[in-house]
Amino acid sequence: MTSRFSELERKRIEADFSRNGFAVVEDLVSKQAIDELVGAYDDILNGSHDCGAFDRNLGGLTRQIMMPHLCHPAFGESEAVCNAREIASGLIGKPNPDLFFSMLIYKPPGHPHETPWHQDMAYSGKPFTTAGSRMPNHAVAQFWLALNDVDETMGCMEFVPGAHNDPMPEHFVASGDPEDEGRLLAMRDPTRDLDLKRAIKCPLKAGSATVHGYATPHYTGANQSTKHGRRAFIFSFANMSAFDTIAAQRGAWADRPEQSSALLAK
């Protein structure tokens, strides 16, 4: 099978991911694939395709559909997943990795709520992972695929490069029930724990994506656009052997459900 990405591009993505904790992947999928995903996405949003209990609000604030690959075929072995798998295998050191997690996050025009600074590894404990924990960043490669053009005013992804190498700062439940899977977590004091002056914003055109690791701090702002909704398809691949490094901190990962809906909010 012909690769969508050149060896030079794959090496660039791997180098950025290792050094900064994230990378930008231009043109992850074709326009045709984006059109198909947007159609399926909007079918879920307008209720013509029912995802049941998977359709909820993150922290009671922002529309979130968990595991869309389990409730709509368009989000399973799609072009997006297949192309991202090729990139992910080099990032997490696992050939042909399995899809681990997926989620849709929708911020309609004028949506006032940010997704605060956090690390995905905070969601692996309840109500949150203990501050000071460490996790190899290559345990998870999480893709944030823009299904429409997303600029800084619409809540594009933001990262602090290099901060994935530090112990996890204190998090707290910013919104929602602390024991609920849909709780929203945030860093207690990002201005203290991160050098936000170094934060990098990643506007994307439809079909392009960012990819980040489990320990990479990230943030998305409110959607200030009065005309355009912000559609994001978020999905990840995992190297479960990397989780062994913190098994003693939060219990054996082998005892956890393979398709955990408690992980990786954006």
Side-chain angles (χ1 to χ4, degrees):
M1 181 180 295
T2 302
S3 172
R4 185 175 180 85
F5 307 97
S6 68
E7 181 178 359
L8 181 63
E9 179 65 1
R10 291 196 302 272
K11 294 298 183 184
R12 192 273 303 169
I13 293 169
E14 291 171 12
D16 286 351
F17 186 88
S18 176
R19 179 178 60 252
N20 297 325
F22 73 97
V24 173
V25 183
E26 300 286 356
D27 298 319
L28 178 66
V29 296
S30 65
K31 184 180 185 306
Q32 179 180 350
I34 286 295
D35 290 343
E36 293 173 357
L37 290 172
V38 168
Y41 200 116
D42 288 349
D43 283 346
I44 294 173
L45 290 182
N46 65 31
S48 60
H49 188 99
D50 185 12
C51 285
F54 288 118
D55 192 343
R56 67 187 192 193
N57 287 322
L58 175 62
L61 302 173
T62 301
R63 185 82 174 271
Q64 176 190 51
I65 294 88
M66 298 297 288
M67 303 301 196
H69 73 280
L70 299 180
C71 69
H72 197 299
F75 297 100
E77 289 301 305
S78 61
E79 180 182 312
V81 170
C82 292
N83 289 346
R85 179 179 285 116
E86 178 185 342
I87 296 295
S89 63
L91 300 180
I92 65 176
K94 183 178 181 181
N96 196 33
D98 294 328
L99 183 64
F100 174 64
F101 173 86
S102 70
M103 174 173 62
L104 307 178
I105 290 286
Y106 180 63
K107 293 188 176 181
H111 187 68
H113 301 293
E114 66 178 8
T115 304
W117 284 102
H118 69 284
Q119 288 164 281
D120 291 335
M121 64 180 288
Y123 281 89
S124 64
K126 237 182 200 183
F128 41 77
T129 303
T130 304
S133 297
R134 289 181 179 271
M135 167 68 78
N137 204 48
H138 67 277
V140 171
Q142 174 137 303
F143 291 80
W144 195 101
L145 173 63
L147 298 187
N148 49 264
D149 294 348
V150 178
D151 62 22
E152 296 177 11
T153 68
M154 294 175 66
C156 65
M157 288 287 280
E158 301 184 29
F159 304 94
V160 175
H164 60 294
N165 294 316
D166 299 328
M168 194 191 79
E170 181 184 4
H171 284 64
F172 74 105
V173 179
S175 182
D177 183 340
E179 294 302 314
D180 187 75
E181 299 287 352
R183 69 202 184 284
L184 177 65
L185 300 185
M187 285 186 179
R188 176 70 68 182
D189 190 348
T191 59
R192 177 194 65 195
D193 296 324
L194 299 174
D195 184 358
L196 296 180
K197 293 180 180 178
R198 298 180 59 244
I200 295 176
K201 299 180 180 181
C202 297
L204 298 169
K205 62 182 179 180
S208 293
T210 60
V211 57
H212 67 272
Y214 207 50
T216 302
H218 52 284
Y219 164 94
T220 65
N223 183 3
Q224 301 174 41
S225 171
T226 59
K227 296 181 180 180
H228 303 292
R230 196 211 69 178
R231 296 170 178 80
F233 176 30
I234 299 155
F235 56 96
S236 61
F237 304 88
N239 182 346
M240 296 305 292
S241 64
F243 288 94
D244 293 341
T245 62
I246 59 163
Q249 297 180 52
R250 291 190 300 282
W253 273 88
D255 297 334
R256 295 173 180 265
E258 182 178 355
Q259 299 288 0
S260 173
S261 61
L263 302 177
L264 312 175
K266 288 288 132 326

